[in-house]
PDB file of all heavy atoms in Angstrom:
ATOM      1  N   ILE B  18     -23.957  10.143  25.857  1.00  0.00           N
ATOM      2  CA  ILE B  18     -24.281   8.764  26.240  1.00  0.00           C
ATOM      3  C   ILE B  18     -23.277   8.263  27.275  1.00  0.00           C
ATOM      4  O   ILE B  18     -22.130   8.703  27.322  1.00  0.00           O
ATOM      5  CB  ILE B  18     -24.264   7.810  25.018  1.00  0.00           C
ATOM      6  CG1 ILE B  18     -22.885   7.796  24.334  1.00  0.00           C
ATOM      7  CG2 ILE B  18     -25.353   8.183  24.032  1.00  0.00           C
ATOM      8  CD1 ILE B  18     -22.715   6.704  23.295  1.00  0.00           C
ATOM      9  N   PRO B  19     -23.707   7.301  28.120  1.00  0.00           N
ATOM     10  CA  PRO B  19     -22.754   6.706  29.054  1.00  0.00           C
ATOM     11  C   PRO B  19     -21.727   5.861  28.290  1.00  0.00           C
ATOM     12  O   PRO B  19     -21.973   5.471  27.148  1.00  0.00           O
ATOM     13  CB  PRO B  19     -23.630   5.830  29.956  1.00  0.00           C
ATOM     14  CG  PRO B  19     -24.940   5.715  29.313  1.00  0.00           C
ATOM     15  CD  PRO B  19     -25.051   6.746  28.242  1.00  0.00           C
ATOM     16  N   SER B  20     -20.597   5.594  28.946  1.00  0.00           N
ATOM     17  CA  SER B  20     -19.550   4.801  28.289  1.00  0.00           C
ATOM     18  C   SER B  20     -19.943   3.328  28.283  1.00  0.00           C
ATOM     19  O   SER B  20     -19.466   2.526  29.087  1.00  0.00           O
ATOM     20  CB  SER B  20     -18.217   4.988  29.017  1.00  0.00           C
ATOM     21  OG  SER B  20     -17.809   6.314  28.917  1.00  0.00           O
ATOM     22  N   CYS B  21     -20.813   2.995  27.358  1.00  0.00           N
ATOM     23  CA  CYS B  21     -21.376   1.643  27.287  1.00  0.00           C
ATOM     24  C   CYS B  21     -21.638   1.336  25.827  1.00  0.00           C
ATOM     25  O   CYS B  21     -22.239   2.134  25.100  1.00  0.00           O
ATOM     26  CB  CYS B  21     -22.665   1.608  28.112  1.00  0.00           C
ATOM     27  SG  CYS B  21     -23.789   0.298  27.668  1.00  0.00           S
ATOM     28  N   GLU B  55     -15.548   3.052  14.969  1.00  0.00           N
ATOM     29  CA  GLU B  55     -14.191   3.137  15.510  1.00  0.00           C
ATOM     30  C   GLU B  55     -14.056   4.332  16.457  1.00  0.00           C
ATOM     31  O   GLU B  55     -13.433   4.224  17.517  1.00  0.00           O
ATOM     32  CB  GLU B  55     -13.173   3.264  14.363  1.00  0.00           C
ATOM     33  CG  GLU B  55     -13.174   2.105  13.375  1.00  0.00           C
ATOM     34  CD  GLU B  55     -12.698   0.785  13.975  1.00  0.00           C
ATOM     35  OE1 GLU B  55     -12.034   0.811  15.026  1.00  0.00           O
ATOM     36  OE2 GLU B  55     -13.008  -0.272  13.395  1.00  0.00           O
ATOM     37  N   ALA B  56     -14.645   5.471  16.085  1.00  0.00           N
ATOM     38  CA  ALA B  56     -14.529   6.679  16.914  1.00  0.00           C
ATOM     39  C   ALA B  56     -15.245   6.489  18.255  1.00  0.00           C
ATOM     40  O   ALA B  56     -14.716   6.865  19.314  1.00  0.00           O
ATOM     41  CB  ALA B  56     -15.108   7.886  16.160  1.00  0.00           C
ATOM     42  N   VAL B  57     -16.433   5.912  18.222  1.00  0.00           N
ATOM     43  CA  VAL B  57     -17.212   5.741  19.460  1.00  0.00           C
ATOM     44  C   VAL B  57     -16.555   4.689  20.361  1.00  0.00           C
ATOM     45  O   VAL B  57     -16.453   4.870  21.580  1.00  0.00           O
ATOM     46  CB  VAL B  57     -18.686   5.384  19.136  1.00  0.00           C
ATOM     47  CG1 VAL B  57     -19.440   4.970  20.394  1.00  0.00           C
ATOM     48  CG2 VAL B  57     -19.384   6.566  18.468  1.00  0.00           C
ATOM     49  N   VAL B  58     -16.087   3.601  19.762  1.00  0.00           N
ATOM     50  CA  VAL B  58     -15.404   2.568  20.561  1.00  0.00           C
ATOM     51  C   VAL B  58     -14.127   3.137  21.179  1.00  0.00           C
ATOM     52  O   VAL B  58     -13.835   2.908  22.356  1.00  0.00           O
ATOM     53  CB  VAL B  58     -15.093   1.317  19.700  1.00  0.00           C
ATOM     54  CG1 VAL B  58     -14.120   0.383  20.424  1.00  0.00           C
ATOM     55  CG2 VAL B  58     -16.374   0.568  19.372  1.00  0.00           C
ATOM     56  N   ASN B  59     -13.374   3.919  20.399  1.00  0.00           N
ATOM     57  CA  ASN B  59     -12.169   4.563  20.948  1.00  0.00           C
ATOM     58  C   ASN B  59     -12.524   5.443  22.140  1.00  0.00           C
ATOM     59  O   ASN B  59     -11.827   5.443  23.158  1.00  0.00           O
ATOM     60  CB  ASN B  59     -11.496   5.431  19.879  1.00  0.00           C
ATOM     61  CG  ASN B  59     -10.664   4.605  18.923  1.00  0.00           C
ATOM     62  OD1 ASN B  59     -10.408   3.431  19.155  1.00  0.00           O
ATOM     63  ND2 ASN B  59     -10.260   5.219  17.816  1.00  0.00           N
ATOM     64  N   ALA B  60     -13.604   6.214  21.999  1.00  0.00           N
ATOM     65  CA  ALA B  60     -14.014   7.133  23.067  1.00  0.00           C
ATOM     66  C   ALA B  60     -14.416   6.374  24.329  1.00  0.00           C
ATOM     67  O   ALA B  60     -14.022   6.737  25.444  1.00  0.00           O
ATOM     68  CB  ALA B  60     -15.173   8.012  22.582  1.00  0.00           C
ATOM     69  N   ILE B  61     -15.185   5.312  24.155  1.00  0.00           N
ATOM     70  CA  ILE B  61     -15.674   4.542  25.302  1.00  0.00           C
ATOM     71  C   ILE B  61     -14.532   3.762  25.955  1.00  0.00           C
ATOM     72  O   ILE B  61     -14.327   3.816  27.166  1.00  0.00           O
ATOM     73  CB  ILE B  61     -16.793   3.566  24.865  1.00  0.00           C
ATOM     74  CG1 ILE B  61     -18.059   4.341  24.468  1.00  0.00           C
ATOM     75  CG2 ILE B  61     -17.105   2.557  25.975  1.00  0.00           C
ATOM     76  CD1 ILE B  61     -19.163   3.482  23.866  1.00  0.00           C
ATOM     77  N   LYS B  62     -13.791   3.062  25.125  1.00  0.00           N
ATOM     78  CA  LYS B  62     -12.805   2.109  25.643  1.00  0.00           C
ATOM     79  C   LYS B  62     -11.486   2.782  26.018  1.00  0.00           C
ATOM     80  O   LYS B  62     -10.989   2.596  27.124  1.00  0.00           O
ATOM     81  CB  LYS B  62     -12.569   1.035  24.580  1.00  0.00           C
ATOM     82  CG  LYS B  62     -11.879  -0.198  25.093  1.00  0.00           C
ATOM     83  CD  LYS B  62     -11.866  -1.281  24.029  1.00  0.00           C
ATOM     84  CE  LYS B  62     -11.108  -2.499  24.538  1.00  0.00           C
ATOM     85  NZ  LYS B  62     -11.057  -3.571  23.547  1.00  0.00           N
ATOM     86  N   HIS B  63     -10.936   3.532  25.084  1.00  0.00           N
ATOM     87  CA  HIS B  63      -9.623   4.120  25.344  1.00  0.00           C
ATOM     88  C   HIS B  63      -9.740   5.484  26.029  1.00  0.00           C
ATOM     89  O   HIS B  63      -8.985   5.783  26.947  1.00  0.00           O
ATOM     90  CB  HIS B  63      -8.838   4.253  24.039  1.00  0.00           C
ATOM     91  CG  HIS B  63      -8.670   2.948  23.328  1.00  0.00           C
ATOM     92  ND1 HIS B  63      -8.031   1.874  23.907  1.00  0.00           N
ATOM     93  CD2 HIS B  63      -9.086   2.517  22.107  1.00  0.00           C
ATOM     94  CE1 HIS B  63      -8.042   0.851  23.075  1.00  0.00           C
ATOM     95  NE2 HIS B  63      -8.684   1.208  21.972  1.00  0.00           N
ATOM     96  N   GLY B  64     -10.679   6.320  25.585  1.00  0.00           N
ATOM     97  CA  GLY B  64     -10.836   7.644  26.185  1.00  0.00           C
ATOM     98  C   GLY B  64     -11.352   7.559  27.608  1.00  0.00           C
ATOM     99  O   GLY B  64     -10.696   7.991  28.557  1.00  0.00           O
ATOM    100  N   ASN B  65     -12.533   6.970  27.753  1.00  0.00           N
ATOM    101  CA  ASN B  65     -13.178   6.926  29.071  1.00  0.00           C
ATOM    102  C   ASN B  65     -12.872   5.644  29.846  1.00  0.00           C
ATOM    103  O   ASN B  65     -13.398   5.454  30.949  1.00  0.00           O
ATOM    104  CB  ASN B  65     -14.694   7.069  28.915  1.00  0.00           C
ATOM    105  CG  ASN B  65     -15.093   8.481  28.523  1.00  0.00           C
ATOM    106  OD1 ASN B  65     -14.275   9.400  28.575  1.00  0.00           O
ATOM    107  ND2 ASN B  65     -16.342   8.663  28.127  1.00  0.00           N
ATOM    108  N   ALA B  66     -12.058   4.779  29.281  1.00  0.00           N
ATOM    109  CA  ALA B  66     -11.634   3.541  29.952  1.00  0.00           C
ATOM    110  C   ALA B  66     -12.825   2.745  30.495  1.00  0.00           C
ATOM    111  O   ALA B  66     -12.764   2.198  31.604  1.00  0.00           O
ATOM    112  CB  ALA B  66     -10.628   3.853  31.062  1.00  0.00           C
ATOM    113  N   ASP B  67     -13.917   2.715  29.730  1.00  0.00           N
ATOM    114  CA  ASP B  67     -15.131   1.962  30.096  1.00  0.00           C
ATOM    115  C   ASP B  67     -15.750   2.418  31.415  1.00  0.00           C
ATOM    116  O   ASP B  67     -16.502   1.662  32.032  1.00  0.00           O
ATOM    117  CB  ASP B  67     -14.847   0.447  30.162  1.00  0.00           C
ATOM    118  CG  ASP B  67     -14.612  -0.160  28.785  1.00  0.00           C
ATOM    119  OD1 ASP B  67     -15.391   0.148  27.865  1.00  0.00           O
ATOM    120  OD2 ASP B  67     -13.658  -0.934  28.622  1.00  0.00           O
ATOM    121  N   ASP B  68     -15.424   3.617  31.849  1.00  0.00           N
ATOM    122  CA  ASP B  68     -15.978   4.130  33.104  1.00  0.00           C
ATOM    123  C   ASP B  68     -17.409   4.618  32.841  1.00  0.00           C
ATOM    124  O   ASP B  68     -17.610   5.625  32.153  1.00  0.00           O
ATOM    125  CB  ASP B  68     -15.107   5.289  33.604  1.00  0.00           C
ATOM    126  CG  ASP B  68     -15.616   5.877  34.914  1.00  0.00           C
ATOM    127  OD1 ASP B  68     -16.745   5.531  35.329  1.00  0.00           O
ATOM    128  OD2 ASP B  68     -14.886   6.681  35.508  1.00  0.00           O
ATOM    129  N   PRO B  69     -18.419   3.929  33.409  1.00  0.00           N
ATOM    130  CA  PRO B  69     -19.815   4.293  33.110  1.00  0.00           C
ATOM    131  C   PRO B  69     -20.203   5.679  33.624  1.00  0.00           C
ATOM    132  O   PRO B  69     -21.217   6.244  33.206  1.00  0.00           O
ATOM    133  CB  PRO B  69     -20.637   3.192  33.793  1.00  0.00           C
ATOM    134  CG  PRO B  69     -19.723   2.600  34.811  1.00  0.00           C
ATOM    135  CD  PRO B  69     -18.325   2.787  34.313  1.00  0.00           C
ATOM    136  N   GLU B  70     -19.394   6.216  34.529  1.00  0.00           N
ATOM    137  CA  GLU B  70     -19.673   7.562  35.039  1.00  0.00           C
ATOM    138  C   GLU B  70     -19.277   8.643  34.034  1.00  0.00           C
ATOM    139  O   GLU B  70     -19.751   9.784  34.109  1.00  0.00           O
ATOM    140  CB  GLU B  70     -18.902   7.799  36.350  1.00  0.00           C
ATOM    141  CG  GLU B  70     -19.282   6.860  37.487  1.00  0.00           C
ATOM    142  CD  GLU B  70     -20.736   7.015  37.878  1.00  0.00           C
ATOM    143  OE1 GLU B  70     -21.199   8.160  38.002  1.00  0.00           O
ATOM    144  OE2 GLU B  70     -21.414   5.984  38.038  1.00  0.00           O
ATOM    145  N   LYS B  71     -18.393   8.258  33.125  1.00  0.00           N
ATOM    146  CA  LYS B  71     -17.941   9.228  32.123  1.00  0.00           C
ATOM    147  C   LYS B  71     -18.804   9.147  30.874  1.00  0.00           C
ATOM    148  O   LYS B  71     -19.264   8.077  30.495  1.00  0.00           O
ATOM    149  CB  LYS B  71     -16.469   8.970  31.765  1.00  0.00           C
ATOM    150  CG  LYS B  71     -15.524   9.299  32.907  1.00  0.00           C
ATOM    151  CD  LYS B  71     -14.072   9.137  32.486  1.00  0.00           C
ATOM    152  CE  LYS B  71     -13.140   9.576  33.619  1.00  0.00           C
ATOM    153  NZ  LYS B  71     -11.730   9.324  33.290  1.00  0.00           N
ATOM    154  N   LYS B  72     -19.007  10.294  30.250  1.00  0.00           N
ATOM    155  CA  LYS B  72     -19.920  10.374  29.102  1.00  0.00           C
ATOM    156  C   LYS B  72     -19.151  10.523  27.787  1.00  0.00           C
ATOM    157  O   LYS B  72     -18.004  10.987  27.764  1.00  0.00           O
ATOM    158  CB  LYS B  72     -20.845  11.587  29.251  1.00  0.00           C
ATOM    159  CG  LYS B  72     -21.597  11.661  30.574  1.00  0.00           C
ATOM    160  CD  LYS B  72     -22.633  10.575  30.670  1.00  0.00           C
ATOM    161  CE  LYS B  72     -23.448  10.739  31.956  1.00  0.00           C
ATOM    162  NZ  LYS B  72     -24.239   9.537  32.253  1.00  0.00           N
ATOM    163  N   VAL B  73     -19.835  10.166  26.745  1.00  0.00           N
ATOM    164  CA  VAL B  73     -19.339  10.414  25.387  1.00  0.00           C
ATOM    165  C   VAL B  73     -20.354  11.318  24.692  1.00  0.00           C
ATOM    166  O   VAL B  73     -21.558  11.045  24.719  1.00  0.00           O
ATOM    167  CB  VAL B  73     -19.173   9.102  24.587  1.00  0.00           C
ATOM    168  CG1 VAL B  73     -18.796   9.394  23.138  1.00  0.00           C
ATOM    169  CG2 VAL B  73     -18.123   8.205  25.238  1.00  0.00           C
ATOM    170  N   ILE B  74     -19.861  12.404  24.133  1.00  0.00           N
ATOM    171  CA  ILE B  74     -20.738  13.305  23.377  1.00  0.00           C
ATOM    172  C   ILE B  74     -20.664  12.923  21.899  1.00  0.00           C
ATOM    173  O   ILE B  74     -19.571  12.764  21.348  1.00  0.00           O
ATOM    174  CB  ILE B  74     -20.299  14.776  23.549  1.00  0.00           C
ATOM    175  CG1 ILE B  74     -20.498  15.218  25.006  1.00  0.00           C
ATOM    176  CG2 ILE B  74     -21.075  15.693  22.599  1.00  0.00           C
ATOM    177  CD1 ILE B  74     -19.868  16.565  25.323  1.00  0.00           C
ATOM    178  N   VAL B  88     -17.216  13.377  17.927  1.00  0.00           N
ATOM    179  CA  VAL B  88     -17.229  12.429  19.043  1.00  0.00           C
ATOM    180  C   VAL B  88     -16.216  12.917  20.073  1.00  0.00           C
ATOM    181  O   VAL B  88     -15.049  13.141  19.747  1.00  0.00           O
ATOM    182  CB  VAL B  88     -16.859  10.991  18.580  1.00  0.00           C
ATOM    183  CG1 VAL B  88     -16.859  10.032  19.775  1.00  0.00           C
ATOM    184  CG2 VAL B  88     -17.831  10.497  17.509  1.00  0.00           C
ATOM    185  N   GLU B  89     -16.689  13.096  21.306  1.00  0.00           N
ATOM    186  CA  GLU B  89     -15.810  13.628  22.359  1.00  0.00           C
ATOM    187  C   GLU B  89     -15.941  12.794  23.620  1.00  0.00           C
ATOM    188  O   GLU B  89     -17.049  12.430  24.018  1.00  0.00           O
ATOM    189  CB  GLU B  89     -16.192  15.089  22.649  1.00  0.00           C
ATOM    190  CG  GLU B  89     -15.315  15.739  23.704  1.00  0.00           C
ATOM    191  CD  GLU B  89     -15.620  17.230  23.871  1.00  0.00           C
ATOM    192  OE1 GLU B  89     -16.235  17.817  22.964  1.00  0.00           O
ATOM    193  OE2 GLU B  89     -15.250  17.786  24.914  1.00  0.00           O
ATOM    194  N   ASP B  90     -14.806  12.477  24.236  1.00  0.00           N
ATOM    195  CA  ASP B  90     -14.855  11.723  25.493  1.00  0.00           C
ATOM    196  C   ASP B  90     -14.276  12.562  26.628  1.00  0.00           C
ATOM    197  O   ASP B  90     -13.826  13.685  26.412  1.00  0.00           O
ATOM    198  CB  ASP B  90     -14.115  10.383  25.346  1.00  0.00           C
ATOM    199  CG  ASP B  90     -12.657  10.550  24.956  1.00  0.00           C
ATOM    200  OD1 ASP B  90     -11.926  11.197  25.738  1.00  0.00           O
ATOM    201  OD2 ASP B  90     -12.242  10.055  23.891  1.00  0.00           O
ATOM    202  N   GLU B  91     -14.282  12.004  27.830  1.00  0.00           N
ATOM    203  CA  GLU B  91     -13.787  12.727  29.014  1.00  0.00           C
ATOM    204  C   GLU B  91     -12.392  12.263  29.416  1.00  0.00           C
ATOM    205  O   GLU B  91     -11.938  12.521  30.526  1.00  0.00           O
ATOM    206  CB  GLU B  91     -14.744  12.534  30.184  1.00  0.00           C
ATOM    207  CG  GLU B  91     -16.103  13.165  29.974  1.00  0.00           C
ATOM    208  CD  GLU B  91     -16.960  13.042  31.232  1.00  0.00           C
ATOM    209  OE1 GLU B  91     -16.545  13.539  32.290  1.00  0.00           O
ATOM    210  OE2 GLU B  91     -18.036  12.425  31.136  1.00  0.00           O
ATOM    211  N   GLY B  92     -11.741  11.551  28.521  1.00  0.00           N
ATOM    212  CA  GLY B  92     -10.411  11.035  28.829  1.00  0.00           C
ATOM    213  C   GLY B  92      -9.327  12.080  28.635  1.00  0.00           C
ATOM    214  O   GLY B  92      -9.599  13.211  28.228  1.00  0.00           O
ATOM    215  N   PRO B  93      -8.096  11.678  28.907  1.00  0.00           N
ATOM    216  CA  PRO B  93      -6.969  12.617  28.809  1.00  0.00           C
ATOM    217  C   PRO B  93      -6.584  12.944  27.372  1.00  0.00           C
ATOM    218  O   PRO B  93      -5.808  13.864  27.135  1.00  0.00           O
ATOM    219  CB  PRO B  93      -5.826  11.858  29.506  1.00  0.00           C
ATOM    220  CG  PRO B  93      -6.190  10.404  29.360  1.00  0.00           C
ATOM    221  CD  PRO B  93      -7.679  10.351  29.366  1.00  0.00           C
ATOM    222  N   GLY B  94      -7.121  12.185  26.415  1.00  0.00           N
ATOM    223  CA  GLY B  94      -6.797  12.417  25.016  1.00  0.00           C
ATOM    224  C   GLY B  94      -5.502  11.745  24.598  1.00  0.00           C
ATOM    225  O   GLY B  94      -4.796  11.140  25.426  1.00  0.00           O
ATOM    226  N   PHE B  95      -5.203  11.831  23.333  1.00  0.00           N
ATOM    227  CA  PHE B  95      -3.978  11.222  22.815  1.00  0.00           C
ATOM    228  C   PHE B  95      -3.515  12.020  21.606  1.00  0.00           C
ATOM    229  O   PHE B  95      -4.257  12.841  21.066  1.00  0.00           O
ATOM    230  CB  PHE B  95      -4.218   9.754  22.445  1.00  0.00           C
ATOM    231  CG  PHE B  95      -5.004   9.571  21.161  1.00  0.00           C
ATOM    232  CD1 PHE B  95      -4.382   9.095  20.012  1.00  0.00           C
ATOM    233  CD2 PHE B  95      -6.350   9.883  21.101  1.00  0.00           C
ATOM    234  CE1 PHE B  95      -5.090   8.930  18.830  1.00  0.00           C
ATOM    235  CE2 PHE B  95      -7.068   9.729  19.920  1.00  0.00           C
ATOM    236  CZ  PHE B  95      -6.437   9.252  18.784  1.00  0.00           C
ATOM    237  N   ASP B  96      -2.274  11.783  21.219  1.00  0.00           N
ATOM    238  CA  ASP B  96      -1.743  12.450  20.039  1.00  0.00           C
ATOM    239  C   ASP B  96      -1.813  11.466  18.868  1.00  0.00           C
ATOM    240  O   ASP B  96      -1.104  10.445  18.878  1.00  0.00           O
ATOM    241  CB  ASP B  96      -0.293  12.870  20.296  1.00  0.00           C
ATOM    242  CG  ASP B  96       0.275  13.661  19.120  1.00  0.00           C
ATOM    243  OD1 ASP B  96      -0.376  13.726  18.061  1.00  0.00           O
ATOM    244  OD2 ASP B  96       1.378  14.215  19.269  1.00  0.00           O
ATOM    245  N   TYR B 129      -8.487  16.030  14.953  1.00  0.00           N
ATOM    246  CA  TYR B 129      -8.558  15.948  16.411  1.00  0.00           C
ATOM    247  C   TYR B 129      -8.283  17.321  17.003  1.00  0.00           C
ATOM    248  O   TYR B 129      -7.556  18.128  16.409  1.00  0.00           O
ATOM    249  CB  TYR B 129      -7.525  14.949  16.939  1.00  0.00           C
ATOM    250  CG  TYR B 129      -7.996  13.514  16.859  1.00  0.00           C
ATOM    251  CD1 TYR B 129      -7.814  12.770  15.696  1.00  0.00           C
ATOM    252  CD2 TYR B 129      -8.641  12.914  17.925  1.00  0.00           C
ATOM    253  CE1 TYR B 129      -8.258  11.461  15.607  1.00  0.00           C
ATOM    254  CE2 TYR B 129      -9.089  11.608  17.856  1.00  0.00           C
ATOM    255  CZ  TYR B 129      -8.892  10.881  16.701  1.00  0.00           C
ATOM    256  OH  TYR B 129      -9.345   9.590  16.615  1.00  0.00           O
ATOM    257  N   SER B 132      -6.014  18.531  22.517  1.00  0.00           N
ATOM    258  CA  SER B 132      -5.838  17.577  23.616  1.00  0.00           C
ATOM    259  C   SER B 132      -6.146  16.139  23.184  1.00  0.00           C
ATOM    260  O   SER B 132      -5.864  15.191  23.920  1.00  0.00           O
ATOM    261  CB  SER B 132      -6.708  17.979  24.815  1.00  0.00           C
ATOM    262  OG  SER B 132      -8.035  18.136  24.411  1.00  0.00           O
ATOM    263  N   GLY B 133      -6.710  15.955  22.011  1.00  0.00           N
ATOM    264  CA  GLY B 133      -6.890  14.616  21.468  1.00  0.00           C
ATOM    265  C   GLY B 133      -8.035  13.819  22.066  1.00  0.00           C
ATOM    266  O   GLY B 133      -8.057  12.587  21.978  1.00  0.00           O
ATOM    267  N   ASN B 134      -9.006  14.511  22.666  1.00  0.00           N
ATOM    268  CA  ASN B 134     -10.175  13.781  23.184  1.00  0.00           C
ATOM    269  C   ASN B 134     -11.442  14.105  22.384  1.00  0.00           C
ATOM    270  O   ASN B 134     -12.548  13.757  22.803  1.00  0.00           O
ATOM    271  CB  ASN B 134     -10.394  14.092  24.673  1.00  0.00           C
ATOM    272  CG  ASN B 134     -10.866  15.509  24.907  1.00  0.00           C
ATOM    273  OD1 ASN B 134     -10.509  16.416  24.138  1.00  0.00           O
ATOM    274  ND2 ASN B 134     -11.663  15.707  25.939  1.00  0.00           N
ATOM    275  N   ARG B 135     -11.264  14.810  21.277  1.00  0.00           N
ATOM    276  CA  ARG B 135     -12.426  15.126  20.438  1.00  0.00           C
ATOM    277  C   ARG B 135     -12.018  14.990  18.967  1.00  0.00           C
ATOM    278  O   ARG B 135     -11.017  15.555  18.536  1.00  0.00           O
ATOM    279  CB  ARG B 135     -12.915  16.551  20.701  1.00  0.00           C
ATOM    280  CG  ARG B 135     -14.171  16.900  19.899  1.00  0.00           C
ATOM    281  CD  ARG B 135     -14.691  18.285  20.230  1.00  0.00           C
ATOM    282  NE  ARG B 135     -13.787  19.320  19.801  1.00  0.00           N
ATOM    283  CZ  ARG B 135     -13.448  20.404  20.496  1.00  0.00           C
ATOM    284  NH1 ARG B 135     -13.935  20.603  21.705  1.00  0.00           N
ATOM    285  NH2 ARG B 135     -12.619  21.299  20.001  1.00  0.00           N
ATOM    286  N   VAL B 136     -12.819  14.242  18.246  1.00  0.00           N
ATOM    287  CA  VAL B 136     -12.554  14.098  16.824  1.00  0.00           C
ATOM    288  C   VAL B 136     -13.756  14.622  16.036  1.00  0.00           C
ATOM    289  O   VAL B 136     -14.911  14.424  16.435  1.00  0.00           O
ATOM    290  CB  VAL B 136     -12.258  12.620  16.444  1.00  0.00           C
ATOM    291  CG1 VAL B 136     -13.436  11.696  16.725  1.00  0.00           C
ATOM    292  CG2 VAL B 136     -11.846  12.500  14.988  1.00  0.00           C
TER     293      VAL B 136
END
Side-chain angles (χ1 to χ4, degrees):
Chain B
I18 59 169
S20 296
C21 158
E55 300 293 341
V57 170
V58 167
N59 280 349
I61 291 173
K62 196 172 177 180
H63 303 300
N65 288 348
D67 289 314
D68 180 349
E70 298 298 315
K71 291 184 176 175
K72 307 291 184 194
V73 174
I74 294 170
V88 179
E89 181 174 342
D90 59 60
E91 294 185 59
F95 75 109
D96 184 351
Y129 278 86
S132 54
N134 70 329
R135 183 177 67 223
V136 62

